[in-house]
Amino acid sequence: MDVLGLFNYWIVIVLMMIGFYIVISHGNLVKKVVGLNVFQVSVFVFFISMSKVRGGTAPILEEGIEVYSNPLPHVLILTAIVVGVATTALALGLVVRIRDAYGTIEADEIIEPEEDGA
Amino acid sequence: MVAIGLTLVRLRDLFSVAMLFGIFSLLAAALYVVQDAVDVAFTEAAVGAGISTVLILATLALTTSEEKAPPGRALGALAVVLVTGAALIYGTLDMPAYGDPAAPIHQHVVPRYIERSAAEIGVPNIVTSVLASYRGYDTLGEVTVIFTAAAGVLALLGRRRGRVGIVDSLQVRQDARKDGEVPRSVLAPKPILRVVSKLLMPLILLFALYVQFHGDFGPGGGFQAGVIFGSAFILYALIFGAHNARQVIPAAVRRAGLGAGLLLYALVGVAGLLMGGRYLNYAVLADEPTHGQHLGIMLIEFGVGTTVAAAMIIIFFVFSGQDR
């Protein structure tokens, strides 16, 4: 088995796990959003690295070129990036509102007063 | 990238986190170029290194830029992460090697896209023809998501200023006061920034239009053009104050643009229906099928660009218009 050929997946997994770790271990909501974004970028890299064909070139038709990389993942990820920034903005908007309501953006401090009241 | 990711975990100063995240995105963009995904790299560079960094910074300005000490569940989290990662790495052992032309992903519909899109669509950039024509439904859905997200941001934060001062005239005065405090005092007195940004603004806008209408032939298209257009305005707003930038594009135009782009996209599909084809089939729009495809793709890319640019500008203005 060509172990080096799997290197790209491992980088993706390491990045993904870093994002995952940030999301579950940090209480700060902005940090959580950044973690989700790292996770997201790792998925993008995963798709793009799968679309690469050895010896291929960018998928723009031209005379005399036979091998192109796979254009389909490019399309999916291209739109996903823009959708991602829009949803990130929505998440950050929620964070701002949460700070309005609770005066903090740490998840633990948000949960505590609710438990006291219940 | 892994090093930057690890630093992101450790850093507690959220300001540096935002900056590092920008660098992280730029690296990702470079990686996409290496892997032949020029269109994607384009988008990532404009979005990740530009707009999302500005957004995170705006949130920090509105909340707090220092993270509290993480609670004591780091070890448990680390264990979960390691187990998941190990399982995933075990899973990759069955994956095709990097760059393998025989991988399953390259077998299904993709050869057809590559071989026949020149004849069927007549557009050299395969990414554009797949995005706008073969998978037009998906793209319509994604534009709708962007529309919804921008509308959601407006709903969450757009009225927030109104609570402080409901009257319009009050809002204007608040804006003026805030601009006087924040952007003008920080960036405006710097003559180099002012001159350079004035020189760059028309070039960036021109470049956005080029990317918009040249997307059929080279890398580019509505999504990229939209974010570049949006970031030009964000640059302007950062340096000359949000109040001035607001006057360039009134709120009504911004909101109309957000909806109009999506509507244009959907209506092009309806036009195809009326002229005897299927929904979002552009071949019937003109006498020659490829001419119809060209026309349809240009129109919907313009719709996409309008919605994306309006969404980016609205989101930025909503964030920048907040009181602390």
Side-chain angles (χ1 to χ4, degrees), chain A residues 89, chain B residues 55 147 149-155 158 230 233-234 246 249-259 306-322:
Chain B
L55 282 182
F147 171 80
V153 170
L154 263 181
F233 273 94
I234 291 175
R246 252 175 245 275
I249 306 184
V253 176
R254 296 199 298 266
R255 288 172 197 188
L258 186 66
T306 316
T307 298
V308 171
M312 295 303 144
I313 295 171
I314 284 178
I315 289 171
F316 173 74
F317 278 157
V318 166
F319 269 91
S320 71
Q322 302 291 314

PDB file of all heavy atoms in Angstrom, chain A residues 89, chain B residues 55 147 149-155 158 230 233-234 246 249-259 306-322:
ATOM      1  N   ALA A  89     -21.395  34.372   9.766  1.00  0.00           N
ATOM      2  CA  ALA A  89     -21.897  35.681  10.164  1.00  0.00           C
ATOM      3  C   ALA A  89     -23.143  35.538  11.020  1.00  0.00           C
ATOM      4  O   ALA A  89     -23.313  36.237  12.026  1.00  0.00           O
ATOM      5  CB  ALA A  89     -22.209  36.518   8.918  1.00  0.00           C
TER       6      ALA A  89
ATOM      7  N   LEU B  55     -15.239  40.077  10.073  1.00  0.00           N
ATOM      8  CA  LEU B  55     -16.437  39.765  10.863  1.00  0.00           C
ATOM      9  C   LEU B  55     -16.071  39.337  12.276  1.00  0.00           C
ATOM     10  O   LEU B  55     -16.679  39.777  13.254  1.00  0.00           O
ATOM     11  CB  LEU B  55     -17.235  38.657  10.181  1.00  0.00           C
ATOM     12  CG  LEU B  55     -18.074  39.083   8.998  1.00  0.00           C
ATOM     13  CD1 LEU B  55     -18.843  37.903   8.450  1.00  0.00           C
ATOM     14  CD2 LEU B  55     -19.020  40.185   9.397  1.00  0.00           C
ATOM     15  N   PHE B 147     -28.997  34.063   1.086  1.00  0.00           N
ATOM     16  CA  PHE B 147     -30.057  35.048   1.276  1.00  0.00           C
ATOM     17  C   PHE B 147     -30.643  34.921   2.679  1.00  0.00           C
ATOM     18  O   PHE B 147     -30.809  35.907   3.406  1.00  0.00           O
ATOM     19  CB  PHE B 147     -31.138  34.814   0.212  1.00  0.00           C
ATOM     20  CG  PHE B 147     -32.382  35.606   0.414  1.00  0.00           C
ATOM     21  CD1 PHE B 147     -32.432  36.927   0.027  1.00  0.00           C
ATOM     22  CD2 PHE B 147     -33.495  35.033   0.995  1.00  0.00           C
ATOM     23  CE1 PHE B 147     -33.579  37.669   0.213  1.00  0.00           C
ATOM     24  CE2 PHE B 147     -34.647  35.768   1.180  1.00  0.00           C
ATOM     25  CZ  PHE B 147     -34.683  37.090   0.792  1.00  0.00           C
ATOM     26  N   ALA B 149     -29.318  33.545   5.356  1.00  0.00           N
ATOM     27  CA  ALA B 149     -28.377  33.893   6.418  1.00  0.00           C
ATOM     28  C   ALA B 149     -28.286  35.408   6.582  1.00  0.00           C
ATOM     29  O   ALA B 149     -28.302  35.922   7.712  1.00  0.00           O
ATOM     30  CB  ALA B 149     -27.006  33.307   6.118  1.00  0.00           C
ATOM     31  N   ALA B 150     -28.203  36.119   5.447  1.00  0.00           N
ATOM     32  CA  ALA B 150     -28.122  37.581   5.543  1.00  0.00           C
ATOM     33  C   ALA B 150     -29.400  38.140   6.142  1.00  0.00           C
ATOM     34  O   ALA B 150     -29.364  39.041   6.997  1.00  0.00           O
ATOM     35  CB  ALA B 150     -27.861  38.189   4.165  1.00  0.00           C
ATOM     36  N   ALA B 151     -30.545  37.578   5.741  1.00  0.00           N
ATOM     37  CA  ALA B 151     -31.813  38.036   6.307  1.00  0.00           C
ATOM     38  C   ALA B 151     -31.847  37.726   7.805  1.00  0.00           C
ATOM     39  O   ALA B 151     -32.355  38.527   8.602  1.00  0.00           O
ATOM     40  CB  ALA B 151     -32.983  37.350   5.598  1.00  0.00           C
ATOM     41  N   GLY B 152     -31.265  36.578   8.195  1.00  0.00           N
ATOM     42  CA  GLY B 152     -31.230  36.231   9.610  1.00  0.00           C
ATOM     43  C   GLY B 152     -30.387  37.200  10.409  1.00  0.00           C
ATOM     44  O   GLY B 152     -30.771  37.617  11.508  1.00  0.00           O
ATOM     45  N   VAL B 153     -29.215  37.570   9.850  1.00  0.00           N
ATOM     46  CA  VAL B 153     -28.376  38.545  10.542  1.00  0.00           C
ATOM     47  C   VAL B 153     -29.123  39.864  10.707  1.00  0.00           C
ATOM     48  O   VAL B 153     -29.112  40.484  11.767  1.00  0.00           O
ATOM     49  CB  VAL B 153     -27.048  38.757   9.778  1.00  0.00           C
ATOM     50  CG1 VAL B 153     -26.283  39.931  10.339  1.00  0.00           C
ATOM     51  CG2 VAL B 153     -26.214  37.512   9.851  1.00  0.00           C
ATOM     52  N   LEU B 154     -29.828  40.248   9.636  1.00  0.00           N
ATOM     53  CA  LEU B 154     -30.623  41.477   9.714  1.00  0.00           C
ATOM     54  C   LEU B 154     -31.670  41.365  10.812  1.00  0.00           C
ATOM     55  O   LEU B 154     -31.878  42.290  11.595  1.00  0.00           O
ATOM     56  CB  LEU B 154     -31.330  41.716   8.382  1.00  0.00           C
ATOM     57  CG  LEU B 154     -30.678  42.668   7.393  1.00  0.00           C
ATOM     58  CD1 LEU B 154     -31.542  42.785   6.162  1.00  0.00           C
ATOM     59  CD2 LEU B 154     -30.490  44.024   8.022  1.00  0.00           C
ATOM     60  N   ALA B 155     -32.309  40.200  10.885  1.00  0.00           N
ATOM     61  CA  ALA B 155     -33.377  40.028  11.872  1.00  0.00           C
ATOM     62  C   ALA B 155     -32.804  40.020  13.282  1.00  0.00           C
ATOM     63  O   ALA B 155     -33.403  40.553  14.212  1.00  0.00           O
ATOM     64  CB  ALA B 155     -34.126  38.726  11.595  1.00  0.00           C
ATOM     65  N   GLY B 158     -30.276  43.686  13.087  1.00  0.00           N
ATOM     66  CA  GLY B 158     -30.622  44.877  12.325  1.00  0.00           C
ATOM     67  C   GLY B 158     -31.465  45.860  13.120  1.00  0.00           C
ATOM     68  O   GLY B 158     -31.338  47.063  12.974  1.00  0.00           O
ATOM     69  N   GLY B 230     -18.018  42.952  -2.452  1.00  0.00           N
ATOM     70  CA  GLY B 230     -18.332  43.256  -1.063  1.00  0.00           C
ATOM     71  C   GLY B 230     -17.114  43.734  -0.298  1.00  0.00           C
ATOM     72  O   GLY B 230     -17.176  44.698   0.472  1.00  0.00           O
ATOM     73  N   PHE B 233     -16.196  47.366  -0.713  1.00  0.00           N
ATOM     74  CA  PHE B 233     -16.970  48.298   0.098  1.00  0.00           C
ATOM     75  C   PHE B 233     -16.560  48.245   1.557  1.00  0.00           C
ATOM     76  O   PHE B 233     -16.574  49.258   2.250  1.00  0.00           O
ATOM     77  CB  PHE B 233     -18.466  48.023  -0.055  1.00  0.00           C
ATOM     78  CG  PHE B 233     -19.024  48.748  -1.216  1.00  0.00           C
ATOM     79  CD1 PHE B 233     -19.125  48.126  -2.440  1.00  0.00           C
ATOM     80  CD2 PHE B 233     -19.385  50.069  -1.090  1.00  0.00           C
ATOM     81  CE1 PHE B 233     -19.596  48.808  -3.533  1.00  0.00           C
ATOM     82  CE2 PHE B 233     -19.866  50.759  -2.175  1.00  0.00           C
ATOM     83  CZ  PHE B 233     -19.970  50.131  -3.406  1.00  0.00           C
ATOM     84  N   ILE B 234     -16.175  47.045   2.004  1.00  0.00           N
ATOM     85  CA  ILE B 234     -15.754  46.942   3.395  1.00  0.00           C
ATOM     86  C   ILE B 234     -14.471  47.746   3.604  1.00  0.00           C
ATOM     87  O   ILE B 234     -14.316  48.451   4.602  1.00  0.00           O
ATOM     88  CB  ILE B 234     -15.587  45.463   3.773  1.00  0.00           C
ATOM     89  CG1 ILE B 234     -16.956  44.799   3.802  1.00  0.00           C
ATOM     90  CG2 ILE B 234     -14.913  45.319   5.124  1.00  0.00           C
ATOM     91  CD1 ILE B 234     -16.944  43.332   4.045  1.00  0.00           C
ATOM     92  N   ARG B 246     -22.284  53.911   3.952  1.00  0.00           N
ATOM     93  CA  ARG B 246     -23.717  53.688   3.920  1.00  0.00           C
ATOM     94  C   ARG B 246     -24.399  54.555   2.885  1.00  0.00           C
ATOM     95  O   ARG B 246     -25.385  54.161   2.269  1.00  0.00           O
ATOM     96  CB  ARG B 246     -24.302  54.031   5.282  1.00  0.00           C
ATOM     97  CG  ARG B 246     -24.748  52.859   6.073  1.00  0.00           C
ATOM     98  CD  ARG B 246     -25.182  53.364   7.419  1.00  0.00           C
ATOM     99  NE  ARG B 246     -24.302  52.831   8.432  1.00  0.00           N
ATOM    100  CZ  ARG B 246     -24.491  51.655   8.965  1.00  0.00           C
ATOM    101  NH1 ARG B 246     -25.497  50.918   8.597  1.00  0.00           N
ATOM    102  NH2 ARG B 246     -23.669  51.193   9.861  1.00  0.00           N
ATOM    103  N   ILE B 249     -24.355  53.228  -0.918  1.00  0.00           N
ATOM    104  CA  ILE B 249     -25.434  52.307  -1.269  1.00  0.00           C
ATOM    105  C   ILE B 249     -26.492  52.404  -0.186  1.00  0.00           C
ATOM    106  O   ILE B 249     -26.287  51.914   0.915  1.00  0.00           O
ATOM    107  CB  ILE B 249     -24.943  50.854  -1.350  1.00  0.00           C
ATOM    108  CG1 ILE B 249     -23.753  50.752  -2.296  1.00  0.00           C
ATOM    109  CG2 ILE B 249     -26.049  49.954  -1.842  1.00  0.00           C
ATOM    110  CD1 ILE B 249     -23.295  49.344  -2.492  1.00  0.00           C
ATOM    111  N   PRO B 250     -27.644  53.028  -0.468  1.00  0.00           N
ATOM    112  CA  PRO B 250     -28.680  53.150   0.566  1.00  0.00           C
ATOM    113  C   PRO B 250     -29.214  51.780   0.969  1.00  0.00           C
ATOM    114  O   PRO B 250     -29.118  50.804   0.225  1.00  0.00           O
ATOM    115  CB  PRO B 250     -29.769  53.973  -0.135  1.00  0.00           C
ATOM    116  CG  PRO B 250     -29.134  54.544  -1.341  1.00  0.00           C
ATOM    117  CD  PRO B 250     -28.000  53.666  -1.710  1.00  0.00           C
ATOM    118  N   ALA B 251     -29.794  51.744   2.176  1.00  0.00           N
ATOM    119  CA  ALA B 251     -30.252  50.468   2.724  1.00  0.00           C
ATOM    120  C   ALA B 251     -31.262  49.799   1.808  1.00  0.00           C
ATOM    121  O   ALA B 251     -31.238  48.583   1.622  1.00  0.00           O
ATOM    122  CB  ALA B 251     -30.859  50.698   4.106  1.00  0.00           C
ATOM    123  N   ALA B 252     -32.144  50.610   1.217  1.00  0.00           N
ATOM    124  CA  ALA B 252     -33.178  50.019   0.364  1.00  0.00           C
ATOM    125  C   ALA B 252     -32.539  49.287  -0.807  1.00  0.00           C
ATOM    126  O   ALA B 252     -32.947  48.180  -1.164  1.00  0.00           O
ATOM    127  CB  ALA B 252     -34.112  51.115  -0.129  1.00  0.00           C
ATOM    128  N   VAL B 253     -31.482  49.916  -1.399  1.00  0.00           N
ATOM    129  CA  VAL B 253     -30.819  49.283  -2.538  1.00  0.00           C
ATOM    130  C   VAL B 253     -30.142  47.996  -2.094  1.00  0.00           C
ATOM    131  O   VAL B 253     -30.210  46.967  -2.779  1.00  0.00           O
ATOM    132  CB  VAL B 253     -29.789  50.247  -3.158  1.00  0.00           C
ATOM    133  CG1 VAL B 253     -29.030  49.562  -4.276  1.00  0.00           C
ATOM    134  CG2 VAL B 253     -30.481  51.489  -3.667  1.00  0.00           C
ATOM    135  N   ARG B 254     -29.492  48.032  -0.918  1.00  0.00           N
ATOM    136  CA  ARG B 254     -28.815  46.829  -0.434  1.00  0.00           C
ATOM    137  C   ARG B 254     -29.805  45.686  -0.278  1.00  0.00           C
ATOM    138  O   ARG B 254     -29.582  44.570  -0.723  1.00  0.00           O
ATOM    139  CB  ARG B 254     -28.160  47.104   0.918  1.00  0.00           C
ATOM    140  CG  ARG B 254     -27.068  48.120   0.894  1.00  0.00           C
ATOM    141  CD  ARG B 254     -26.181  47.994   2.106  1.00  0.00           C
ATOM    142  NE  ARG B 254     -26.870  48.231   3.367  1.00  0.00           N
ATOM    143  CZ  ARG B 254     -26.913  49.426   3.978  1.00  0.00           C
ATOM    144  NH1 ARG B 254     -26.323  50.456   3.433  1.00  0.00           N
ATOM    145  NH2 ARG B 254     -27.527  49.555   5.115  1.00  0.00           N
ATOM    146  N   ARG B 255     -30.947  46.001   0.377  1.00  0.00           N
ATOM    147  CA  ARG B 255     -31.908  44.922   0.623  1.00  0.00           C
ATOM    148  C   ARG B 255     -32.563  44.466  -0.661  1.00  0.00           C
ATOM    149  O   ARG B 255     -32.799  43.273  -0.865  1.00  0.00           O
ATOM    150  CB  ARG B 255     -32.959  45.399   1.618  1.00  0.00           C
ATOM    151  CG  ARG B 255     -32.338  45.495   2.978  1.00  0.00           C
ATOM    152  CD  ARG B 255     -33.203  46.132   4.000  1.00  0.00           C
ATOM    153  NE  ARG B 255     -32.363  46.526   5.123  1.00  0.00           N
ATOM    154  CZ  ARG B 255     -32.828  46.986   6.261  1.00  0.00           C
ATOM    155  NH1 ARG B 255     -34.111  47.120   6.433  1.00  0.00           N
ATOM    156  NH2 ARG B 255     -32.005  47.307   7.226  1.00  0.00           N
ATOM    157  N   ALA B 256     -32.831  45.430  -1.565  1.00  0.00           N
ATOM    158  CA  ALA B 256     -33.429  45.048  -2.839  1.00  0.00           C
ATOM    159  C   ALA B 256     -32.471  44.151  -3.608  1.00  0.00           C
ATOM    160  O   ALA B 256     -32.881  43.150  -4.191  1.00  0.00           O
ATOM    161  CB  ALA B 256     -33.769  46.296  -3.645  1.00  0.00           C
ATOM    162  N   GLY B 257     -31.166  44.483  -3.569  1.00  0.00           N
ATOM    163  CA  GLY B 257     -30.181  43.681  -4.279  1.00  0.00           C
ATOM    164  C   GLY B 257     -30.150  42.264  -3.763  1.00  0.00           C
ATOM    165  O   GLY B 257     -30.050  41.304  -4.533  1.00  0.00           O
ATOM    166  N   LEU B 258     -30.271  42.126  -2.445  1.00  0.00           N
ATOM    167  CA  LEU B 258     -30.242  40.799  -1.833  1.00  0.00           C
ATOM    168  C   LEU B 258     -31.336  39.915  -2.408  1.00  0.00           C
ATOM    169  O   LEU B 258     -31.099  38.774  -2.795  1.00  0.00           O
ATOM    170  CB  LEU B 258     -30.419  40.951  -0.320  1.00  0.00           C
ATOM    171  CG  LEU B 258     -30.275  39.698   0.526  1.00  0.00           C
ATOM    172  CD1 LEU B 258     -28.855  39.196   0.471  1.00  0.00           C
ATOM    173  CD2 LEU B 258     -30.671  39.985   1.963  1.00  0.00           C
ATOM    174  N   GLY B 259     -32.552  40.486  -2.489  1.00  0.00           N
ATOM    175  CA  GLY B 259     -33.656  39.691  -3.003  1.00  0.00           C
ATOM    176  C   GLY B 259     -33.646  39.592  -4.514  1.00  0.00           C
ATOM    177  O   GLY B 259     -33.959  38.543  -5.073  1.00  0.00           O
ATOM    178  N   THR B 306     -25.030  39.511  -7.501  1.00  0.00           N
ATOM    179  CA  THR B 306     -25.776  40.568  -6.817  1.00  0.00           C
ATOM    180  C   THR B 306     -26.132  40.149  -5.401  1.00  0.00           C
ATOM    181  O   THR B 306     -25.906  40.886  -4.437  1.00  0.00           O
ATOM    182  CB  THR B 306     -27.064  40.877  -7.595  1.00  0.00           C
ATOM    183  OG1 THR B 306     -26.756  40.944  -8.967  1.00  0.00           O
ATOM    184  CG2 THR B 306     -27.676  42.160  -7.127  1.00  0.00           C
ATOM    185  N   THR B 307     -26.674  38.934  -5.267  1.00  0.00           N
ATOM    186  CA  THR B 307     -27.088  38.484  -3.940  1.00  0.00           C
ATOM    187  C   THR B 307     -25.895  38.376  -3.000  1.00  0.00           C
ATOM    188  O   THR B 307     -25.951  38.836  -1.858  1.00  0.00           O
ATOM    189  CB  THR B 307     -27.797  37.129  -4.046  1.00  0.00           C
ATOM    190  OG1 THR B 307     -28.964  37.283  -4.832  1.00  0.00           O
ATOM    191  CG2 THR B 307     -28.177  36.611  -2.685  1.00  0.00           C
ATOM    192  N   VAL B 308     -24.801  37.777  -3.498  1.00  0.00           N
ATOM    193  CA  VAL B 308     -23.651  37.576  -2.613  1.00  0.00           C
ATOM    194  C   VAL B 308     -23.076  38.919  -2.181  1.00  0.00           C
ATOM    195  O   VAL B 308     -22.816  39.149  -0.986  1.00  0.00           O
ATOM    196  CB  VAL B 308     -22.578  36.715  -3.304  1.00  0.00           C
ATOM    197  CG1 VAL B 308     -21.306  36.683  -2.483  1.00  0.00           C
ATOM    198  CG2 VAL B 308     -23.084  35.305  -3.501  1.00  0.00           C
ATOM    199  N   ALA B 309     -22.903  39.847  -3.146  1.00  0.00           N
ATOM    200  CA  ALA B 309     -22.341  41.148  -2.789  1.00  0.00           C
ATOM    201  C   ALA B 309     -23.246  41.861  -1.795  1.00  0.00           C
ATOM    202  O   ALA B 309     -22.782  42.382  -0.767  1.00  0.00           O
ATOM    203  CB  ALA B 309     -22.159  42.001  -4.050  1.00  0.00           C
ATOM    204  N   ALA B 310     -24.559  41.843  -2.060  1.00  0.00           N
ATOM    205  CA  ALA B 310     -25.490  42.521  -1.149  1.00  0.00           C
ATOM    206  C   ALA B 310     -25.435  41.869   0.229  1.00  0.00           C
ATOM    207  O   ALA B 310     -25.429  42.560   1.252  1.00  0.00           O
ATOM    208  CB  ALA B 310     -26.906  42.466  -1.715  1.00  0.00           C
ATOM    209  N   ALA B 311     -25.366  40.533   0.262  1.00  0.00           N
ATOM    210  CA  ALA B 311     -25.329  39.836   1.553  1.00  0.00           C
ATOM    211  C   ALA B 311     -24.093  40.232   2.340  1.00  0.00           C
ATOM    212  O   ALA B 311     -24.171  40.559   3.531  1.00  0.00           O
ATOM    213  CB  ALA B 311     -25.363  38.322   1.331  1.00  0.00           C
ATOM    214  N   MET B 312     -22.920  40.241   1.671  1.00  0.00           N
ATOM    215  CA  MET B 312     -21.680  40.587   2.374  1.00  0.00           C
ATOM    216  C   MET B 312     -21.752  42.017   2.920  1.00  0.00           C
ATOM    217  O   MET B 312     -21.373  42.292   4.054  1.00  0.00           O
ATOM    218  CB  MET B 312     -20.476  40.470   1.432  1.00  0.00           C
ATOM    219  CG  MET B 312     -20.196  39.067   0.958  1.00  0.00           C
ATOM    220  SD  MET B 312     -19.929  37.958   2.325  1.00  0.00           S
ATOM    221  CE  MET B 312     -20.682  36.478   1.713  1.00  0.00           C
ATOM    222  N   ILE B 313     -22.246  42.948   2.072  1.00  0.00           N
ATOM    223  CA  ILE B 313     -22.278  44.347   2.499  1.00  0.00           C
ATOM    224  C   ILE B 313     -23.268  44.519   3.646  1.00  0.00           C
ATOM    225  O   ILE B 313     -22.984  45.188   4.642  1.00  0.00           O
ATOM    226  CB  ILE B 313     -22.636  45.246   1.292  1.00  0.00           C
ATOM    227  CG1 ILE B 313     -21.518  45.175   0.259  1.00  0.00           C
ATOM    228  CG2 ILE B 313     -22.841  46.671   1.728  1.00  0.00           C
ATOM    229  CD1 ILE B 313     -21.851  45.838  -1.040  1.00  0.00           C
ATOM    230  N   ILE B 314     -24.434  43.870   3.545  1.00  0.00           N
ATOM    231  CA  ILE B 314     -25.437  43.990   4.612  1.00  0.00           C
ATOM    232  C   ILE B 314     -24.872  43.451   5.910  1.00  0.00           C
ATOM    233  O   ILE B 314     -24.953  44.091   6.967  1.00  0.00           O
ATOM    234  CB  ILE B 314     -26.713  43.223   4.221  1.00  0.00           C
ATOM    235  CG1 ILE B 314     -27.502  44.012   3.189  1.00  0.00           C
ATOM    236  CG2 ILE B 314     -27.577  42.969   5.450  1.00  0.00           C
ATOM    237  CD1 ILE B 314     -28.735  43.306   2.726  1.00  0.00           C
ATOM    238  N   ILE B 315     -24.264  42.258   5.851  1.00  0.00           N
ATOM    239  CA  ILE B 315     -23.742  41.647   7.077  1.00  0.00           C
ATOM    240  C   ILE B 315     -22.709  42.562   7.712  1.00  0.00           C
ATOM    241  O   ILE B 315     -22.735  42.822   8.917  1.00  0.00           O
ATOM    242  CB  ILE B 315     -23.147  40.261   6.758  1.00  0.00           C
ATOM    243  CG1 ILE B 315     -24.252  39.272   6.429  1.00  0.00           C
ATOM    244  CG2 ILE B 315     -22.328  39.756   7.930  1.00  0.00           C
ATOM    245  CD1 ILE B 315     -23.760  37.954   5.904  1.00  0.00           C
ATOM    246  N   PHE B 316     -21.827  43.118   6.869  1.00  0.00           N
ATOM    247  CA  PHE B 316     -20.795  43.992   7.430  1.00  0.00           C
ATOM    248  C   PHE B 316     -21.420  45.239   8.054  1.00  0.00           C
ATOM    249  O   PHE B 316     -21.054  45.624   9.169  1.00  0.00           O
ATOM    250  CB  PHE B 316     -19.794  44.399   6.347  1.00  0.00           C
ATOM    251  CG  PHE B 316     -18.822  45.421   6.836  1.00  0.00           C
ATOM    252  CD1 PHE B 316     -17.811  45.064   7.706  1.00  0.00           C
ATOM    253  CD2 PHE B 316     -18.950  46.752   6.477  1.00  0.00           C
ATOM    254  CE1 PHE B 316     -16.939  45.995   8.187  1.00  0.00           C
ATOM    255  CE2 PHE B 316     -18.075  47.696   6.951  1.00  0.00           C
ATOM    256  CZ  PHE B 316     -17.060  47.314   7.805  1.00  0.00           C
ATOM    257  N   PHE B 317     -22.356  45.847   7.353  1.00  0.00           N
ATOM    258  CA  PHE B 317     -22.938  47.081   7.885  1.00  0.00           C
ATOM    259  C   PHE B 317     -23.709  46.818   9.164  1.00  0.00           C
ATOM    260  O   PHE B 317     -23.669  47.617  10.097  1.00  0.00           O
ATOM    261  CB  PHE B 317     -23.861  47.722   6.846  1.00  0.00           C
ATOM    262  CG  PHE B 317     -23.112  48.526   5.833  1.00  0.00           C
ATOM    263  CD1 PHE B 317     -23.650  48.777   4.598  1.00  0.00           C
ATOM    264  CD2 PHE B 317     -21.850  49.011   6.137  1.00  0.00           C
ATOM    265  CE1 PHE B 317     -22.943  49.515   3.662  1.00  0.00           C
ATOM    266  CE2 PHE B 317     -21.141  49.739   5.212  1.00  0.00           C
ATOM    267  CZ  PHE B 317     -21.693  49.990   3.973  1.00  0.00           C
ATOM    268  N   VAL B 318     -24.399  45.687   9.214  1.00  0.00           N
ATOM    269  CA  VAL B 318     -25.146  45.377  10.440  1.00  0.00           C
ATOM    270  C   VAL B 318     -24.181  45.245  11.605  1.00  0.00           C
ATOM    271  O   VAL B 318     -24.404  45.801  12.686  1.00  0.00           O
ATOM    272  CB  VAL B 318     -25.966  44.088  10.241  1.00  0.00           C
ATOM    273  CG1 VAL B 318     -26.467  43.580  11.573  1.00  0.00           C
ATOM    274  CG2 VAL B 318     -27.143  44.343   9.322  1.00  0.00           C
ATOM    275  N   PHE B 319     -23.067  44.537  11.373  1.00  0.00           N
ATOM    276  CA  PHE B 319     -22.100  44.370  12.457  1.00  0.00           C
ATOM    277  C   PHE B 319     -21.473  45.709  12.840  1.00  0.00           C
ATOM    278  O   PHE B 319     -21.284  46.008  14.012  1.00  0.00           O
ATOM    279  CB  PHE B 319     -21.006  43.382  12.057  1.00  0.00           C
ATOM    280  CG  PHE B 319     -21.337  41.980  12.429  1.00  0.00           C
ATOM    281  CD1 PHE B 319     -21.998  41.158  11.540  1.00  0.00           C
ATOM    282  CD2 PHE B 319     -20.994  41.474  13.670  1.00  0.00           C
ATOM    283  CE1 PHE B 319     -22.324  39.861  11.887  1.00  0.00           C
ATOM    284  CE2 PHE B 319     -21.316  40.186  14.019  1.00  0.00           C
ATOM    285  CZ  PHE B 319     -21.983  39.373  13.131  1.00  0.00           C
ATOM    286  N   SER B 320     -21.132  46.509  11.817  1.00  0.00           N
ATOM    287  CA  SER B 320     -20.422  47.749  12.125  1.00  0.00           C
ATOM    288  C   SER B 320     -21.362  48.793  12.702  1.00  0.00           C
ATOM    289  O   SER B 320     -20.908  49.761  13.308  1.00  0.00           O
ATOM    290  CB  SER B 320     -19.750  48.293  10.868  1.00  0.00           C
ATOM    291  OG  SER B 320     -20.734  48.776   9.987  1.00  0.00           O
ATOM    292  N   GLY B 321     -22.664  48.614  12.525  1.00  0.00           N
ATOM    293  CA  GLY B 321     -23.594  49.607  13.021  1.00  0.00           C
ATOM    294  C   GLY B 321     -24.026  49.387  14.454  1.00  0.00           C
ATOM    295  O   GLY B 321     -24.906  50.072  14.946  1.00  0.00           O
ATOM    296  N   GLN B 322     -23.410  48.401  15.125  1.00  0.00           N
ATOM    297  CA  GLN B 322     -23.841  48.074  16.486  1.00  0.00           C
ATOM    298  C   GLN B 322     -23.244  49.017  17.512  1.00  0.00           C
ATOM    299  O   GLN B 322     -22.127  49.490  17.366  1.00  0.00           O
ATOM    300  CB  GLN B 322     -23.393  46.649  16.839  1.00  0.00           C
ATOM    301  CG  GLN B 322     -23.910  45.611  15.909  1.00  0.00           C
ATOM    302  CD  GLN B 322     -25.392  45.445  16.045  1.00  0.00           C
ATOM    303  OE1 GLN B 322     -25.896  45.364  17.153  1.00  0.00           O
ATOM    304  NE2 GLN B 322     -26.094  45.421  14.932  1.00  0.00           N
TER     305      GLN B 322
END
